[in-house]
C-alpha cells in the first residue's frame, strides 16, 4: 500500500511538473466604435483554436472596452471574434508568441441592413448561458403581432406569470428592466404588459446585485431576481403602442392604452387604463401603508390583498408616465409617475377548521363566515434614479422613491363557531375604516475606484420615512350559547378608534476592497442603522348619555415607542481563477432593541442581540454553458412595531389579536444550490435549484381558543370558543423547495415543450392553547407547457399544472389531510383570411380534498372574433364573450399551524363586449449603439477597477 501511495505521488508530481512547464500566454485587446472611437462596453469576445470543431471561450469587454484571455498555449493559432448588438462582427487570426500579446484595437462599424432582405439561415438558438445570465432569443419564439412581452416570456422555459406575479426558475421576479434601465419603478407586471413583443430582441434572466455589491463584486444578500428586456436595434427610434375602448352588457366597459416614444437614449412612455372588468395593472407598491384595513376574522386582509389581483370585482382608473434619458456622457436619468384608483366589491365565504389539542372526539371546532366588503384605494407613486459618472474613477447614484395612499373600506360579516356540531358563539359585525399613508425612501451611493485595479471605496446612505393615520368605526353584536347550543347571552360593541404610526430609519454602509495578487480580493465593511417607530391607538366607546364616542377604553388603547440600533462589521475574501469563483465572509452584528409602552401603563423592554453572520459562495462556469452555484448566508429579521405593540385588536370580537413586546429577532440560515445547462450546441436547456431556509426564534402565532371564559390581557375576557392570537418566538421553522425546468424545441412539429417539476416542504411551528404544534406540509408540483412555433398567424398554447399536498400535524392527527388541485388550459390566436382574428382560451380547474362544499370542478371559457382593417391592419374591431359556460369560480386553501382554511370569493360572471383597438407602429432608422445598456457579464477581470462590475448572485 505504501509503495502504491509513493508511486501515485510520483505520478502526480510528474504531471504537475509537466503542466507547470507547458508554455502559456495571455492575449489582450480593446474594442471601440469606428465612428466615435469610444470604448464598446459589454461586447462579446470569443477566442478559439484555429481548428475545426474547436470550442470557443467567451468574455465581455470591461468599462474601457478592454478584454483579455489567460492560460492560452503559446505558438498556437487562435481566432479572435468580436460581436455586439447592431454592430458588424469583427475577427482576426493571430499566433500567440509572447507571454503577453496585444492583438490591438477592434473597430466595430454599424450594421446597416434592409430588414426585408435579411434571410435567416439555420435554426435560431433559443437559449444560451452568458456568465450568470440566462439569455433567451425572442426570435426563437413566435407570437402573434399583438402579443405583449408577458405573452412572449410565458413561452420560455422556467418562466411563468400567475395573477400578475412573474416567476423565473422557481423564484419571484422583483424587477424588470428595459435595456438595463428601470421602467415604472420596479413594477414587473406593469412593464411586461406595456411593451409589445415585437420590439424584444433578447430576454435576460439573472440575479441583480445591489449597486454597491455589483461594484465591489461581493454579494451583500440584497440581490433580486431580475428580467432585462433587450430591445431590437431597429425599434429604438420611433413611436409604438395601442389604444382601445370597449363597452358591453351589464354596463361592462374598458378603455386605455400605452404609447411609447423612443429616440435613442430618450424614452417616454405613457399608459392609462379605466375598466370595471377586473383588469388591474398595479402592484403591491400601490397598497403599502393601508394593508390590514378591515381587519379581523382572518387576522387582517393584508396578506392576500397585497399579492396579485384583488378578489371580487374591481373597477380601476390609472395613469402612468415613464421617462429615461442620458445627458451628455456622464448623467443617466430615469423616472416614473403612476396614479391608480380602484374600487373593489367582494362577497366571501370562508371556513376554518381548528387544530386543537386534547381528545380528538371533542375538539372539532369549525368557524364559518360570510362577508361583504367594499373598498376604495387611491395611490400616487414616484420613482427616480440618477446616475452621475463624475469621472473614470468616481460615480454617484441617487435613488429616491415616494408614494401616497388613501384607502376607505366598508365591511359586514356574519360568523358562527361550532364545536362538534353545536353552536358556541356567533357574530354580526359591521366596520368602516379610512386610512392615509405615505412612504419615502432614498438611497445615495458614492463609488470610487483607485488606480490600482481592485482597490475600491464605496459609501451608501439610506433614509426611510413613513407615516400612517386611520380612523375606524366598529359595530358588533355577539351571541354566546350554552353547552346544549342554546342562546345564553349577548354582547354589543359600538366603538370608534384612531390609529397613528410613523417611522424614521437612517442607515449607512462603508465598504473598502483591496486586491491580493492577481486572483484574490479582500473586503472590509461597516454599517450602522438607527430606526425609530412610534405607534398610538385610541379607542372610544359610544356614550349613550352624550350620543358621541367620548368614553376612552383604556384596555383597547395604547401608546408605544420602539427603537433599533444595529452595528455591523465584517470581512470578506474573494478568489477567482479560470471558471471558478469563491467568496467567504463573516460579519459581527450587534442590535439593541429599546421599546417603551407609555399608555395605559408604563413598561420598558431593553434587549441586546449579538450575532456572527457567515456567508459563503462557490460558483463554476464552463466554456460550454454549464453553470453550478452554491450559496449560504446567515441573516437576522427584526420584529415590526405592529408585532411588538401590546394592544388588543377587537375588530372581530371572536378573534382577538395583540402584539408582544418581548419578541426577539429571528436568526435565519439560507442555503441554495443551482445548476444549469444551456448553449447553442445543445438541443435543450435545463435549470435545477434547491433552496432551504432554517429559522431560529421564528416569529409565529400563539393561539388560545378558550374552553371557558378566560382573561387574556388587561382584564379583557375571552369568551368560550373565541380565540386570542399573539406572536411568539419558536424554534424549528423550515422551508425547503426544489425546482427543475426542462425546455426543448421540437423542430419537426414546430413546438416548444417546457416541463417543470418541484417539491416543497414547509415546517410551521406554533402554539395552540400553550401546546406546541408543528404543521408539516409536503407538496409536489408538476407543470407542462406546449407552445406553438408555427407562425405569427397561428399561436396556441396548451398547459397543465398539478399540485398534490399532504398536511401532517403533530397534534390532532385526525385533521391530517391530502388535497389536490389541477388546471388544464388551452389558448389559441388565429389570424386568417383578410384580417379575421379568432381567439379562445379555456381552462378547467379541479379541487379535491377540501372542506365540504369546496370540492368543485369548473370550466372557464372565453372567446372572441374580430376583424383587422385600416392601413397595415392598424385597427381591429372585436366581439368578446367572457365565461361562456357560466361556471367561473374562485377557491383557495390556506394551511397554518392553527387551522386549515377554505375560501371562495365573488367572481366576474358572463358578459359580452365590443372593443375597438388601434395599434401604432412608426419606427425610424436605428441609432448608433450606445454603451450604457446592461452588459455586466463578468469579463474575467477582477471587479472594482474603474467601475468594475463583479459577480451577481444575491439569493435573499
Amino acid at each position: 500500500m505504501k509503495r502504491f501511495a509513493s508511486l501515485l505521488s510520483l505520478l502526480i508530481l510528474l504531471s504537475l511538473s509537466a503542466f507547470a512547464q507547458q508554455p502559456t500566454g495571455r492575449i489582450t485587446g480593446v474594442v471601440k466604435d469606428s465612428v466615435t472611437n469610444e470604448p464598446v462596453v459589454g461586447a462579446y469576445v470569443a477566442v478559439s483554436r484555429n481548428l475545426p470543431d474547436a470550442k470557443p471561450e467567451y468574455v465581455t469587454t470591461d468599462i474601457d472596452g478592454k478584454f483579455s484571455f489567460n492560460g492560452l498555449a503559446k505558438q498556437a493559432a487562435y481566432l479572435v471574434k468580436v460581436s455586439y448588438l447592431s454592430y458588424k462582427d469583427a475577427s482576426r487570426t493571430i499566433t500567440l508568441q509572447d507571454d503577453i500579446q496585444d492583438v490591438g484595437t477592434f473597430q466595430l462599424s454599424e450594421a446597416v441592413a434592409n430588414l426585408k432582405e435579411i434571410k435567416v439561415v439555420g435554426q435560431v438558438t433559443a437559449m444560451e448561458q452568458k456568465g450568470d445570465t440566462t439569455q433567451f432569443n425572442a426570435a426563437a419564439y413566435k407570437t402573434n403581432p399583438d402579443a405583449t412581452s408577458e405573452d412572449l416570456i410565458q413561452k420560455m422555459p422556467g418562466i411563468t406569470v400567475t395573477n400578475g406575479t412573474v416567476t423565473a426558475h422557481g423564484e419571484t421576479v422583483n424587477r424588470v428592466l428595459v435595456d438595463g434601465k428601470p421602467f415604472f419603478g420596479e413594477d414587473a407586471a406593469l412593464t411586461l404588459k406595456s411593451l409589445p413583443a415585437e420590439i424584444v430582441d433578447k430576454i435576460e434572466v439573472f440575479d441583480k446585485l445591489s449597486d454597491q455589491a455589483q461594484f465591489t463584486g461581493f454579494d451583500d444578500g440584497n440581490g433580486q431576481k431580475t428580467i432585462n428586456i433587450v430591445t431590437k436595434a431597429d425599434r429604438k427610434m420611433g413611436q409604438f403602442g395601442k389604444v382601445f375602448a370597449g363597452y358591453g352588457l351589464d354596463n361592462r366597459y374598458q378603455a386605455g392604452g400605452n404609447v411609447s416614444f423612443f429616440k435613442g437614449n430618450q424614452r417616454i412612455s405613457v399608459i392609462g387604463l379605466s375598466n370595471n372588468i377586473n383588469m388591474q395593472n398595479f402592484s403591491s407598491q400601490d397598497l403599502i401603508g393601508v394593508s390590514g384595513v378591515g381587519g379581523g376574522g382572518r387576522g387582517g386582509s393584508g396578506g392576500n390583498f397585497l399579492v396579485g389581483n384583488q378578489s371580487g370585482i374591481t373597477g380601476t382608473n390609472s395613469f402612468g408616465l415613464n421617462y429615461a434619458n442620458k445627458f451628455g456622457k456622464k448623467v443617466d436619468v430615469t423616472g416614473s409617475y403612476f396614479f391608480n384608483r380602484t374600487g373593489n366589491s367582494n362577497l366571501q365565504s370562508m371556513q376554518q377548521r381548528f387544530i386543537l389539542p386534547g381528545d380528538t372526539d371533542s375538539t372539532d371546532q369549525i368557524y364559518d363566515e360570510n362577508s361583504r366588503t367594499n373598498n376604495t384605494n387611491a395611490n400616487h407613486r414616484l420613482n427616480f434614479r440618477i446616475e452621475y459618472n463624475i469621472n473614470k474613477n468616481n460615480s454617484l447614484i441617487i435613488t429616491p422613491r415616494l408614494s401616497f395612499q388613501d384607502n376607505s373600506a366598508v365591511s359586514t360579516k356574519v360568523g358562527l363557531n361550532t364545536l362538534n356540531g353545536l353552536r358556541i358563539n356567533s357574530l354580526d359585525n359591521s366596520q368602516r375604516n379610512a386610512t392615509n399613508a405615505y412612504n419615502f425612501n432614498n438611497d445615495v451611493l458614492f463609488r470610487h475606484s483607485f488606480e490600482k485595479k481592485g482597490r475600491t471605496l464605496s459609501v451608501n446612505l439610506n433614509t426611510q420615512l413613513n407615516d400612517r393615520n386611520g380612523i375606524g368605526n366598529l359595530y358588533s353584536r355577539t351571541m354566546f350559547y350554552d353547552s346544549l347550543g342554546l342562546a345564553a347571552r349577548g354582547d354589543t360593541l359600538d366603538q370608534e378608534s384612531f390609529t397613528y404610526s410613523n417611522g424614521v430609519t437612517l442607515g449607512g454602509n462603508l465598504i473598502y476592497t483591496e486586491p491580493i495578487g492577481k486572483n484574490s480580493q479582500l473586503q472590509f465593511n461597516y454599517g450602522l442603522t438607527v430606526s425609530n417607530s412610534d405607534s398610538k391607538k385610541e379607542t372610544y366607546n359610544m356614550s349613550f348619555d352624550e350620543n358621541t364616542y367620548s368614553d376612552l377604553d383604556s384596555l383597547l388603547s395604547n401608546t408605544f415607542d420602539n427603537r433599533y440600533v444595529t452595528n455591523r462589521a465584517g470581512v470578506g475574501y474573494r478568489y477567482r481563477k479560470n471558471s471558478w469563483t469563491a467568496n467567504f465572509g463573516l460579519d459581527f452584528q450587534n442590535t439593541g432593541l429599546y421599546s417603551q409602552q407609555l399608555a395605559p401603563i408604563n413598561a420598558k423592554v431593553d434587549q441586546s442581540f449579538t450575532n456572527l453572520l457567515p456567508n459563503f459562495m462557490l460558483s463554476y462556469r464552463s466554456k460550454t454553458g454549464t453553470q453550478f452555484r452554491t450559496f449560504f448566508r446567515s441573516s437576522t429579521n427584526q420584529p415590526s412595531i405592529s408585532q411588538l405593540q401590546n394592544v388588543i385588536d377587537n375588530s372581530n370580537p371572536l378573534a382577538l389579536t395583540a402584539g408582544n413586546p418581548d419578541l426577539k429577532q429571528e436568526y435565519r440560515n439560507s442555503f441554495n444550490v443551482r445548476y444549469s445547462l444551456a448553449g447553442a450546441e445543445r438541443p435543450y436547456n435545463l435549470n435545477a435549484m434547491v433552496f432551504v431556509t432554517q429559522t431560529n426564534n421564528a416569529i409565529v402565532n400563539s393561539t388560545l381558543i378558550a374552553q371557558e371564559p378566560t382573561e387574556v390581557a388587561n382584564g379583557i375576557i375571552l369568551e368560550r370558543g373565541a380565540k386570542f392570537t399573539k406572536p411568539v418566538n419558536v424554534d424549528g421553522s423550515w422551508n425547503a423547495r426544489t425546482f427543475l425546468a426542462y425546455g426543448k424545441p421540437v423542430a419537426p412539429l414546430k413546438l416548444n415543450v417546457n416541463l417543470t417539476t418541484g417539491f416543497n416542504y414547509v415546517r410551521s411551528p406554533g402554539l395552540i392553547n400553550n401546546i406546541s404544534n408543528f404543521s408539516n406540509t409536503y407538496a409536489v408540483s408538476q407543470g407542462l407547457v406546449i407552445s406553438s412555433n408555427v407562425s405569427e398567424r397561428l399561436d396556441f398554447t396548451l398547459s397543465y399544472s398539478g399540485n398534490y399536498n399532504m398536511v401532517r400535524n403533530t397534534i390532532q392527527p385526525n385533521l391530517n389531510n391530502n388535497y389536490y388541485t389541477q388546471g388544464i388550459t388551452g389558448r389559441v390566436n388565429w389570424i386568417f383570411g383578410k384580417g379575421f382574428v379568432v381567439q379562445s382560451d379555456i381552462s378547467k380547474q379541479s379541487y379535491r380534498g377540501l372542506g365540504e362544499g369546496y370540492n368543485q370542478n369548473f370550466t372557464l371559457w372565453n372567446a372572441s372574433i374580430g376583424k383587422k382593417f385600416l392601413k397595415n391592419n392598424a385597427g381591429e374591431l372585436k366581439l368578446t364573450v367572457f365565461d361562456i359556460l357560466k361556471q367561473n369560480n374562485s377557491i383557495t386553501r390556506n394551511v397554518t399551524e392553527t387551522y386549515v382554511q377554505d375560501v371562495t370569493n365573488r367572481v366576474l360572471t358572463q358578459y359580452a363586449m365590443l372593443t375597438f383597438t388601434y395599434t401604432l407602429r412608426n419606427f425610424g432608422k436605428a441609432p448608433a449603439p450606445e454603451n450604457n445598456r446592461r452588459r455586466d457579464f463578468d469579463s474575467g477581470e477582477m471587479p472594482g477597477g474603474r467601475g468594475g462590475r463583479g459577480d451577481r448572485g444575491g439569493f435573499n
Side-chain angles (χ1 to χ4, degrees):
M1 188 68 180
K2 291 183 178 179
R3 297 174 66 182
F4 174 76
S6 300
L7 179 60
L8 181 61
S9 300
L10 179 61
L11 289 173
I12 292 174
L13 288 172
L14 290 174
S15 299
L16 291 174
S17 176
F19 178 78
Q21 294 174 8
Q22 182 180 2
T24 61
R26 175 186 182 190
I27 66 173
T28 63
V30 64
V31 181
K32 293 186 176 182
D33 186 293
S34 62
V35 177
T36 65
N37 203 38
E38 292 183 354
V40 177
V41 182
Y44 291 106
V45 185
V47 65
S48 61
R49 292 290 293 270
N50 198 15
L51 299 171
D53 300 324
K55 293 183 178 181
E57 183 175 346
Y58 293 94
V59 297
T60 56
T61 55
D62 64 15
I63 196 170
D64 298 315
K66 296 179 180 180
F67 65 88
S68 67
F69 291 91
N70 300 315
L72 303 180
K74 294 179 67 174
Q75 305 303 323
Y78 288 93
L79 174 66
V80 182
K81 184 177 181 179
V82 180
S83 60
Y84 192 71
L85 182 67
S86 70
Y87 282 105
K88 293 179 181 178
D89 291 349
S91 63
R92 63 186 61 163
T93 301
I94 62 103
T95 298
L96 181 56
Q97 297 177 339
D98 302 323
D99 292 337
I100 301 177
Q101 185 166 326
D102 187 355
V103 297
T105 300
F106 287 79
Q107 296 283 351
L108 298 189
S109 58
E110 181 183 356
V112 180
N114 185 338
L115 296 180
K116 295 182 179 179
E117 297 176 356
I118 293 178
K119 294 182 180 179
V120 179
V121 180
Q123 182 177 341
V124 177
T125 301
M127 175 179 168
E128 294 183 85
Q129 195 70 33
K130 302 288 188 180
D132 59 354
T133 296
T134 304
Q135 178 178 279
F136 298 94
N137 192 335
Y141 305 92
K142 295 187 182 298
T143 57
N144 67 77
D146 301 321
T148 65
S149 297
E150 182 180 81
D151 299 323
L152 173 64
I153 68 169
Q154 293 187 80
K155 288 177 172 286
M156 298 172 177
I159 302 180
T160 61
V161 182
T162 305
N163 292 330
T165 300
V166 186
T167 302
H169 304 155
E171 297 178 85
T172 300
V173 174
N174 296 305
R175 156 181 284 192
V176 174
L177 307 175
V178 179
D179 289 327
K181 296 181 179 181
F183 192 83
F184 283 102
E186 299 180 359
D187 198 327
L190 180 57
T191 301
L192 293 171
K193 291 177 183 294
S194 301
L195 294 178
E198 66 176 315
I199 74 167
V200 180
D201 180 46
K202 300 286 194 301
I203 295 292
E204 299 172 339
V205 181
F206 61 99
D207 294 292
K208 188 181 188 308
L209 293 183
S210 67
D211 292 317
Q212 191 170 26
Q214 184 174 303
F215 177 67
T216 64
F218 287 81
D219 186 359
D220 58 6
N222 295 317
Q224 293 179 312
K225 179 64 72 175
T226 301
I227 287 178
N228 181 47
I229 298 175
V230 181
T231 59
K232 296 177 180 177
D234 62 325
R235 295 295 189 265
K236 297 181 186 293
M237 291 286 287
Q239 305 84 41
F240 60 88
K242 64 175 61 178
V243 292
F244 58 88
Y247 189 79
L249 301 178
D250 298 327
N251 292 320
R252 299 296 175 195
Y253 68 89
Q254 63 170 338
N258 59 81
V259 181
S260 294
F261 305 88
F262 281 18
K263 187 178 180 180
N265 287 315
Q266 179 178 288
R267 300 183 175 190
I268 301 174
S269 297
V270 181
I271 63 170
L273 180 65
S274 179
N275 75 91
N276 62 355
I277 55 172
N278 280 11
M279 291 177 63
Q280 301 169 32
N281 60 355
F282 57 86
S283 72
S284 62
Q285 299 177 66
D286 302 317
L287 302 172
I288 295 173
V290 295
S291 60
V293 173
R298 299 169 54 195
S301 59
N304 290 333
F305 194 54
L306 292 178
V307 179
N309 294 342
Q310 299 182 70
S311 302
I313 298 177
T314 301
T316 299
N317 296 285
S318 64
F319 170 80
L321 174 67
N322 189 83
Y323 176 81
N325 203 355
K326 184 173 184 177
F327 298 92
K329 298 181 180 180
K330 294 188 175 183
V331 179
D332 268 298
V333 175
T334 58
S336 65
Y337 166 75
F338 187 71
F339 167 76
N340 186 78
R341 188 180 188 276
T342 61
N344 176 264
S345 175
N346 190 28
L347 299 174
Q348 184 183 90
S349 295
M350 176 185 68
Q351 183 180 89
Q352 294 176 339
R353 189 169 185 180
F354 290 95
I355 305 165
L356 300 179
D359 185 357
T360 58
D361 295 330
S362 61
T363 53
D364 188 12
Q365 181 168 326
I366 296 175
Y367 176 70
D368 291 286
E369 180 184 282
N370 294 307
S371 63
R372 176 191 295 270
T373 59
N374 292 279
N375 68 68
T376 301
N377 183 76
N379 169 269
H380 300 267
R381 170 162 39 105
L382 296 100
N383 296 276
F384 283 95
R385 179 183 173 91
I386 303 169
E387 297 186 46
Y388 177 35
N389 293 311
I390 303 169
N391 52 45
K392 68 177 184 179
N393 296 104
N394 300 281
S395 65
L396 184 68
I397 300 177
I398 304 174
T399 314
R401 296 176 291 273
L402 177 65
S403 65
F404 298 90
Q405 299 89 22
D406 196 353
N407 181 280
S408 61
V410 178
S411 66
T412 60
K413 65 183 68 174
V414 177
L416 175 65
N417 262 316
T418 61
L419 183 63
N420 300 321
L422 295 177
R423 295 178 297 179
I424 50 178
N425 52 55
S426 62
L427 171 75
D428 189 347
N429 202 32
S430 64
Q431 276 186 279
R432 290 180 177 272
N433 296 276
T435 307
N436 60 77
Y438 77 82
N439 293 269
F440 173 76
N441 188 301
N442 186 50
D443 282 293
V444 178
L445 173 62
F446 173 76
R447 305 185 296 187
H448 174 73
S449 297
F450 296 88
E451 290 301 325
K452 184 177 182 180
K453 195 170 185 65
R455 178 181 293 171
T456 69
L457 178 68
S458 58
V459 180
N460 186 75
L461 302 177
N462 174 261
T463 303
Q464 298 179 43
L465 307 173
N466 63 78
D467 186 87
R468 183 176 184 270
N469 298 304
I471 181 174
N473 292 91
L474 169 67
Y475 184 81
S476 176
R477 291 180 295 175
T478 310
M479 184 64 70
F480 302 96
Y481 302 86
D482 60 21
S483 58
L484 299 177
L486 302 177
R489 67 179 187 84
D491 191 15
T492 299
L493 291 175
D494 190 358
Q495 296 176 336
E496 185 173 66
S497 61
F498 300 88
T499 57
Y500 317 89
S501 65
N502 65 80
V504 177
T505 299
L506 301 175
N509 190 35
L510 175 69
I511 295 179
Y512 174 80
T513 64
E514 177 68 24
I516 304 176
K518 295 173 58 177
N519 301 312
S520 301
Q521 193 177 21
L522 279 176
Q523 173 183 273
F524 302 92
N525 63 279
Y526 173 73
L528 171 66
T529 302
V530 179
S531 178
N532 288 284
S533 301
D534 302 317
S535 183
K536 183 178 182 179
K537 181 178 182 180
E538 296 177 343
T539 301
Y540 296 88
N541 294 312
M542 169 63 74
S543 172
F544 294 100
D545 294 335
E546 302 177 7
N547 198 31
T548 60
Y549 296 100
S550 56
D551 291 342
L552 178 66
D553 193 327
S554 60
L555 299 181
L556 301 176
S557 301
N558 184 280
T559 300
F560 190 82
D561 295 337
N562 172 251
R563 184 186 185 197
Y564 287 110
V565 177
T566 300
N567 285 274
R568 181 168 177 165
V571 61
Y573 173 75
R574 183 177 188 265
Y575 176 81
R576 176 179 183 138
K577 188 171 183 181
N578 299 327
S579 300
W580 291 92
T581 302
N583 286 354
F584 307 87
L586 181 65
D587 285 0
F588 173 84
Q589 178 177 286
N590 177 265
T591 301
L593 168 60
Y594 313 95
S595 300
Q596 183 175 11
Q597 179 175 310
L598 303 176
I601 59 175
N602 289 324
K604 294 183 179 180
V605 175
D606 189 345
Q607 302 183 78
S608 180
F609 309 100
T610 300
N611 303 107
L612 290 176
L613 305 174
N615 65 82
F616 166 77
M617 186 277 291
L618 177 68
S619 71
Y620 170 78
R621 303 171 187 161
S622 75
K623 302 174 184 179
T624 58
T626 301
Q627 182 180 0
F628 168 81
R629 183 184 183 90
T630 182
F631 188 89
F632 172 84
R633 177 176 295 277
S634 294
S635 61
T636 60
N637 179 54
Q638 316 301 333
S640 67
I641 191 169
S642 61
Q643 293 173 322
L644 293 167
Q645 188 175 13
N646 187 23
V647 60
I648 298 291
D649 180 355
N650 70 333
S651 52
N652 183 340
L654 300 183
L656 305 180
T657 63
N660 179 3
D662 295 321
L663 285 177
K664 298 177 173 61
Q665 64 178 5
E666 294 181 326
Y667 187 93
R668 295 176 180 172
N669 295 303
S670 299
F671 176 71
N672 287 13
V673 176
R674 197 180 277 175
Y675 178 78
S676 64
L677 282 172
E681 71 281 0
R682 290 189 179 88
Y684 64 89
N685 54 77
L686 177 71
N687 282 278
M689 183 191 74
V690 177
F691 179 90
V692 180
T693 299
Q694 180 266 337
T695 306
N696 295 323
N697 279 331
I699 299 175
V700 301
N701 286 330
S702 173
T703 301
L704 172 65
I705 300 179
Q707 307 301 304
E708 58 185 21
T710 304
E711 181 178 337
V712 291
N714 301 329
I716 294 179
I717 301 299
L718 188 69
E719 298 292 343
R720 175 174 170 265
K723 67 175 182 176
F724 171 70
T725 302
K726 71 174 183 179
V728 295
N729 292 110
V730 178
D731 290 335
S733 174
W734 286 85
N735 188 325
R737 56 191 175 95
T738 63
F739 178 81
L740 178 68
Y742 175 84
K744 178 179 175 61
V746 185
L749 300 178
K750 296 184 178 181
L751 299 174
N752 293 314
V753 178
N754 300 319
L755 181 68
T756 60
T757 187
F759 173 77
N760 290 5
Y761 169 67
V762 179
R763 188 174 192 253
S764 301
L767 295 176
I768 306 173
N769 290 355
N770 295 320
I771 297 178
S772 296
N773 178 53
F774 290 89
S775 177
N776 297 280
T777 301
Y778 309 84
V780 179
S781 61
Q782 185 66 56
L784 174 65
V785 178
I786 301 174
S787 59
S788 67
N789 231 4
V790 178
S791 73
E792 293 182 351
R793 298 180 66 87
L794 178 61
D795 183 18
F796 65 84
T797 302
L798 301 174
S799 64
Y800 168 83
S801 63
N803 294 274
Y804 185 77
N805 301 267
M806 297 175 290
V807 181
R808 300 293 182 265
N809 297 286
T810 54
I811 62 175
Q812 279 289 46
N814 66 311
L815 291 183
N816 294 342
N817 70 98
N818 303 336
Y819 64 96
Y820 178 72
T821 64
Q822 72 171 9
I824 302 174
T825 301
R827 297 184 178 91
V828 63
N829 189 328
W830 182 29
I831 303 174
F832 64 95
K834 295 184 178 181
F836 289 97
V837 183
V838 171
Q839 296 174 317
S840 180
D841 63 83
I842 185 167
S843 176
K844 183 175 179 60
Q845 303 292 325
S846 179
Y847 300 85
R848 289 291 180 268
L850 306 185
E852 184 178 351
Y854 292 88
N855 291 318
Q856 297 186 27
N857 296 317
F858 65 88
T859 302
L860 179 61
W861 181 21
N862 310 317
S864 67
I865 184 169
K867 175 68 170 68
K868 292 182 176 294
F869 57 100
L870 300 180
K871 185 179 180 180
N872 297 323
N873 286 330
E876 181 185 82
L877 193 63
K878 179 172 64 177
L879 178 64
T880 303
V881 180
F882 176 82
D883 191 16
I884 295 174
L885 303 179
K886 297 184 178 180
Q887 294 185 16
N888 192 22
N889 212 329
S890 171
I891 301 172
T892 58
R893 163 161 283 198
N894 300 311
V895 178
T896 74
E897 71 285 347
T898 308
Y899 56 79
V900 178
Q901 174 180 277
D902 295 315
V903 180
T904 62
N905 289 287
R906 182 185 182 185
V907 295
L908 198 62
T909 56
Q910 186 186 85
Y911 69 87
M913 179 176 290
L914 186 66
T915 304
F916 172 75
T917 301
Y918 181 82
T919 300
L920 173 66
R921 295 184 181 94
N922 180 26
F923 296 103
K925 181 179 180 293
E930 295 291 338
N931 300 327
N932 62 327
R933 62 174 278 248
R934 197 210 74 85
R935 276 295 183 195
D936 40 310
F937 305 124
D938 203 318
S939 64
E941 297 289 342
M942 184 175 294
R946 301 190 180 183
R949 303 285 185 161
D951 286 306
R952 290 183 303 267
F955 291 108
N956 296 340

